[in-house]
Amino acid sequence: MSKELRVIISGGGTGGHIFPAVSIANAIKALQPNAKILFVGALGRMEMQRVPAAGYEIKGLPIRGFFRPLWKPANIGVAIDYLKSKWLAKKILQEFKPDVAVGVGGYASSAALGAANSLGIPTLIQEQNSYAGLANKNLAKKAEKICVAYEGMERFFPAGKILMTGNPVRQNLLDTTISREEAVKRQGFDPAKKTILLVGGSLGARTINESVLQHLDLVTSSSDVQFIWQTGKYYSAEIAKRLEGKDIPNLKVTDFITDMGTAYKAADLVISRAGASSISEFCLIGKPVILVPSPNVAEDHQTKNALALSTKDAAIYVKDAEAPGMLLKLAIDTVKDDAKLQSLHENVLKLALPNSAEIIAKEVIKLAE
């Protein structure tokens, strides 16, 4: 297109929303280097740090989620903030004058894309999960395109608007060229031994952490298996206290992993929550995984994400309530079973949808034109 492309990208709240949003922005810039991109997020949420760290400007809205049950008095303040956010979002769009607005889910996207609809700006939404979120279901009525990662999404969206693109993932995961041997050595471990990586998302996962803490005897007795444990910053102090005085050479504990590409490369098996972005990453890199869906998410969508893989023998699914009792032993047994690891690797690779960010970026540019 001849004139300068201007794009609003909105959403966030978790890494699962932010990583795809930044990947889409990067893909747009790769296709249109002069494009101007402005993010709109929720004040106090992680996008307000992660987006500027990725090199993009972001405006924050005072939007937040409603408390349950809805009749709680605190929701009066939430409703006032929502109305204020709608007004601010409209003001931001009027000043920035975007050609198109992209929503990736999360509180802010409902206000920003709602404002775009009222101003006649074309919109595209990207739904990461196999069960659509409330914001995207509402925004779909006026969206021009709806990019999805799972089959059967016409349950939630108009079939004629749906485009199967997959979920954009962090590019550095795909660009990691390091060998498994070198990746394991960088963790301070022995490449001859099997390695399990435990991650609970950017904030951590109490259930996965308790599954380790309650079975430290299994960790110490499994000297032929090594463990990389990302506890999450929220739980790191508590876990450090509970591990005081314990010397476990085959256990590496960290609150946050910056270089996830190397960590994944080192791992023969991953234990993870079932967020949509994480699942897309496992598919693209063909990583055997045990999924422990979080029960604390809207519409229990992580369980539906996990079942989309486990029913195709592309992952192992463990219920959150059952994980503390069985997860660690299951992981140790699985990582020692080369045939099972190979089967999981082959099946999860079949579900990969590559080049998602570029496909979505091209749709964004088409809408702007």
Side-chain angles (χ1 to χ4, degrees):
M1 57 192 295
S2 55
K3 77 182 187 74
E4 176 186 81
L5 174 64
R6 300 179 76 83
V7 183
I8 286 278
I9 300 180
S10 184
T14 66
H17 291 312
I18 298 162
F19 298 140
V22 170
S23 295
I24 293 167
N26 291 342
I28 292 169
K29 292 289 276 186
L31 294 168
Q32 296 272 351
N34 296 323
K36 294 286 184 286
I37 299 173
L38 176 66
F39 280 74
V40 178
L43 289 170
R45 303 304 293 253
M46 69 165 66
E47 60 263 29
M48 300 308 294
Q49 285 77 46
R50 295 287 176 86
V51 169
Y56 295 100
E57 184 185 356
I58 186 167
K59 302 276 189 184
L61 304 175
I63 196 166
R64 51 203 170 106
F66 284 94
F67 297 99
R68 307 286 178 178
L70 289 175
W71 57 81
K72 278 193 174 182
N75 281 327
I76 296 169
V78 176
I80 291 168
D81 283 345
Y82 177 70
L83 293 173
K84 186 178 177 184
S85 295
K86 284 183 74 174
W87 178 82
L88 283 170
K90 194 168 184 178
K91 192 166 180 283
I92 290 166
L93 268 66
Q94 285 170 329
E95 289 174 359
F96 185 71
K97 296 181 173 59
D99 301 296
V100 60
V102 178
V104 296
Y107 305 135
S109 67
S110 60
L113 267 72
N117 288 329
S118 70
L119 294 169
I121 297 162
T123 61
L124 174 148
I125 58 176
Q126 198 256 328
E127 174 57 59
Q128 293 103 29
N129 294 293
S130 59
Y131 196 95
L134 185 60
N136 277 349
K137 280 193 278 191
N138 290 334
L139 292 167
K141 297 160 192 168
K142 294 188 177 177
E144 272 70 30
K145 285 286 179 186
I146 303 163
C147 299
V148 302
Y150 292 92
E151 296 169 355
M153 298 304 285
E154 58 276 0
R155 290 175 296 156
F156 310 106
F157 304 130
K161 296 181 178 183
I162 293 174
L163 189 65
M164 186 73 146
T165 61
N167 285 324
V169 303
R170 292 171 281 187
Q171 191 59 40
N172 63 331
L173 297 183
L174 307 179
D175 293 342
T176 303
T177 56
I178 187 174
S179 67
R180 177 195 172 274
E181 183 178 2
E182 181 56 32
V184 174
K185 284 180 180 175
R186 286 193 189 179
Q187 308 301 321
F189 282 155
D190 180 357
K193 296 180 180 181
K194 292 292 179 68
T195 302
I196 297 173
L197 170 66
L198 302 103
V199 289
S202 48
L203 299 176
R206 179 175 291 279
T207 298
I208 292 176
N209 290 340
E210 284 298 327
S211 299
V212 181
L213 289 166
Q214 291 180 26
H215 298 282
L216 288 172
D217 57 324
L218 271 179
V219 176
T220 52
S221 63
S222 302
S223 56
D224 54 341
V225 179
Q226 303 158 140
F227 302 83
I228 305 165
W229 179 18
Q230 179 189 278
T231 62
K233 294 189 177 182
Y234 186 80
Y235 301 104
S236 60
E238 174 198 345
I239 287 168
K241 194 171 181 182
R242 289 172 71 175
L243 291 176
E244 267 179 17
K246 293 181 171 66
D247 179 26
I248 310 175
N250 61 328
L251 177 65
K252 177 181 177 179
V253 184
T254 178
D255 63 344
F256 185 74
I257 296 171
T258 306
D259 185 0
M260 193 56 80
T262 298
Y264 279 157
K265 185 70 80 167
D268 298 288
L269 177 69
V270 178
I271 296 171
S272 171
R273 286 302 200 189
S277 289
S278 296
I279 285 180
S280 294
E281 291 171 355
F282 302 139
C283 291
L284 284 164
I285 62 177
K287 189 58 60 177
V289 61
I290 298 176
L291 296 170
V292 187
S294 170
N296 307 312
V297 293
E299 313 288 357
D300 196 24
H301 67 251
Q302 285 204 6
T303 295
K304 296 172 178 76
N305 291 346
L307 288 170
L309 268 67
S310 64
T311 54
K312 295 180 173 74
D313 295 321
I316 297 170
Y317 160 48
V318 172
K319 290 181 181 177
D320 185 85
E322 297 173 358
M326 64 174 285
L327 178 61
L328 208 62
K329 184 179 186 308
L330 173 65
I332 292 167
D333 290 344
T334 303
V335 84
K336 293 179 180 180
D337 185 342
D338 288 334
K340 181 64 174 176
L341 290 180
Q342 184 61 26
S343 171
L344 289 169
H345 164 72
E346 290 172 1
N347 290 336
V348 79
L349 265 181
K350 292 173 189 173
L351 304 179
L353 291 167
N355 307 318
S356 299
E358 184 182 350
I359 294 166
I360 295 169
K362 285 178 177 175
E363 289 299 318
V364 170
I365 293 166
K366 269 193 225 171
L367 279 182
E369 290 172 339

